[in-house]
Amino acid sequence: MSGRGEAGAEAAATAEDVVPLAQPVLGPEEEALVLEVLRSGQLSLGPRVRAFEEAFAARLGVPYASAVSSGTAALHLSLRAAGVTDGDEVVTSPFSFVATANAVLFERARPVFVDVDPVTFNVTADAMAAAVTERTRALLPVHIFGYPADIAAIERLGLPIVEDAAQALGAVHADGVPVGGRGHPAIFGFYANKQLTTGEGGMITLSDPDAKQRIDSERNQGRAPDMDWLDHDRLGFNYRLSDVASALGLAQLRRLDGMLADRARVASRYREALGGIEGLELPCEDAGGDRRGWFVFVVQLPRGVDRDETIRALAQRGVQSKPYLPAIHLMSFYRERFGHREGEFPVCEAIAARSVALPFFPAMSDGQVERVARELGGVLSVRRAA
Ligand SMILES: *Cc1c(COP(=O)(O)O)cnc(C)c1O
């Protein structure tokens, strides 16, 4: 999600009036660290990349982290490290950002979708187990909207796991392990709306030193760490994260606890403010010891309400919102390539059809939350009366 809505939809309210979907927290700390890199003259392949990786790994309690240019690049290299290749199957969720499934296609493997849980919106171990065949090379669970998927149960299926934790920085499993801290390759993304941003960027956390070495080589054109730049012993990519971006990441990491606490505060304000709207369903509460890492605040509109109309009416009242997320298997490219159709994953489809992301960011004031709730309540009561 970008911070901008459609130009036309914003016309009714002036720019200062608009409550944006997302907004990064950037201050003098970010400016100082970035400026230091600019003045050092070393903008890439310098010391900040490793410093960011080490700080990130320490935060999640894993031995290694590899910084890359995006969450999508992180998915691609993690799947390669898991051995995914031509003709393999990777079991994953249709209720995710499209990059999750696209990364499987990069390696000419097939994403095998399974339906999601109606409460958490995550894939379950049982659904994954039912989709496993002799061609299954890896399982790719997604911690959607920052709610922890049940990785402990998925581990019992005994297959390689890559976790899409791009939305789940700050989430914690019931056993106390941070999401992304179990040692399987787990990926994070640092686009501007994420819990931590480097503008664009990504990270892989993992515990296997061989996988770490392969990933570090493949992000840098296939060069081995001790090898002269003239020789490259395998196929690689340019998926490097710059020192400028890494410096930004280091500053963001230092303020991460504060930003996460602010997101949690905004979420609880939303619960209070939206509680009275009939038929509106809010994100599930933490249960069984799992803790969400707040990323977006996505509501399910009351049944029968026209979502597009609701989003347009909110925009006219100066509140940005967005259908989020669409089901991957129903996107035109996936329909055409794999023959997917409506009705295949009914839980995912029902959720995807009613989901709306509301403005959600750490600096959001109580007044802004109340305004969003008031406008949404107003729009829905008009629609109901019509
Ligand atoms: C943000 C995100 C990614 C990674 O996206 P990039 O834009 O490539 O950094 C991957 N999966 C999910 C579920 C995401 O939300």
Side-chain angles (χ1 to χ4, degrees):
M1 285 183 300
S2 78
R4 303 201 181 282
E6 287 151 43
E10 275 180 16
T14 64
E16 309 87 79
D17 278 348
V18 171
V19 188
L21 256 181
Q23 194 179 81
V25 180
L26 300 168
E29 301 83 354
E30 281 77 7
E31 289 174 16
L33 288 198
V34 168
L35 200 57
E36 211 176 273
V37 175
L38 297 184
R39 289 181 175 155
S40 79
Q42 182 155 24
L43 303 190
S44 198
L45 289 170
R48 272 76 179 186
V49 180
R50 174 169 297 186
F52 183 34
E53 290 173 340
E54 286 175 355
F56 200 90
R59 158 111 203 170
L60 291 189
V62 281
Y64 308 110
S66 291
V68 291
S69 53
S70 71
T72 306
L75 280 165
H76 187 191
L77 295 187
S78 297
L79 289 168
R80 285 175 63 89
V84 171
T85 185
D86 300 66
D88 286 344
E89 293 177 354
V90 174
V91 181
T92 190
S93 174
F95 193 60
S96 185
F97 181 52
V98 68
T100 311
N102 282 350
V104 175
L105 296 180
F106 295 167
E107 290 302 313
R108 302 157 308 280
R110 182 188 173 105
V112 173
F113 298 117
V114 298
D115 212 347
V116 297
D117 179 84
V119 174
T120 65
F121 305 170
N122 281 326
V123 290
T124 63
D126 285 347
M128 285 191 142
V132 168
T133 72
E134 69 276 6
R135 289 213 186 129
T136 307
R137 176 62 59 125
L139 307 174
L140 176 52
V142 183
H143 305 277
I144 203 69
F145 301 160
Y147 198 82
D150 189 356
I151 303 297
I154 292 169
E155 282 164 356
R156 290 194 281 276
L157 303 181
L159 283 158
I161 295 172
V162 172
E163 295 179 47
D164 186 334
Q167 303 193 350
L169 186 56
V172 183
H173 290 288
D175 59 7
V177 177
V179 165
R182 306 191 82 84
H184 318 287
I187 74 96
F188 295 87
F190 305 137
Y191 178 69
N193 70 333
K194 296 266 152 81
Q195 287 97 327
L196 179 159
T197 186
T198 60
E200 300 281 0
M203 191 73 82
I204 302 156
T205 53
L206 72 173
S207 61
D208 175 359
D210 296 333
K212 159 80 176 160
Q213 206 172 54
R214 176 170 176 180
I215 286 167
D216 287 357
S217 166
E218 290 186 351
R219 75 178 167 185
N220 189 24
Q221 310 286 8
R223 191 182 348 163
D226 53 354
M227 202 183 276
D228 190 271
W229 71 274
L230 290 171
D231 193 22
H232 296 248
D233 62 354
R234 67 175 95 207
L235 177 68
F237 308 87
N238 178 357
Y239 282 167
R240 295 186 305 265
L241 191 70
S242 72
D243 275 55
V244 181
S246 297
L248 202 45
L250 276 166
Q252 289 268 293
L253 205 50
R254 287 181 197 159
R255 63 159 90 240
L256 181 61
D257 285 325
M259 294 194 294
L260 291 171
D262 281 336
R263 282 185 189 264
R265 171 190 56 80
V266 174
S268 60
R269 293 286 176 278
Y270 259 132
R271 278 198 199 287
E272 291 162 19
L274 296 171
I277 301 181
E278 202 190 314
L280 189 75
E281 288 165 42
L282 306 184
C284 71
E285 304 252 19
D286 291 351
D290 288 326
R291 287 213 312 274
R292 190 192 296 267
W294 280 100
F295 166 56
V296 280
F297 200 89
V298 174
V299 296
Q300 302 277 299
L301 292 183
R303 281 169 220 282
V305 167
D306 185 322
R307 178 172 59 178
D308 293 344
E309 273 299 318
T310 304
I311 288 171
R312 257 194 300 278
L314 282 173
Q316 268 158 13
R317 294 167 180 235
V319 173
Q320 293 190 345
S321 64
K322 186 165 179 161
Y324 192 77
L325 289 154
I328 297 174
H329 67 286
L330 296 182
M331 292 182 178
S332 51
F333 171 67
Y334 279 85
R335 280 185 197 251
E336 282 157 30
R337 176 120 168 214
F338 297 104
H340 288 301
R341 65 203 183 291
E342 257 123 50
E344 259 183 287
F345 307 109
V347 178
C348 165
E349 291 166 26
I351 297 165
R354 290 170 60 207
S355 290
V356 172
L358 299 177
F360 190 69
F361 48 93
M364 203 172 168
S365 68
D366 292 357
Q368 285 177 308
V369 172
E370 278 148 28
R371 174 155 163 233
V372 172
R374 196 166 57 241
E375 302 294 10
L376 180 61
V379 166
L380 291 176
S381 65
V382 170
R383 305 223 67 76
R384 212 174 264 120

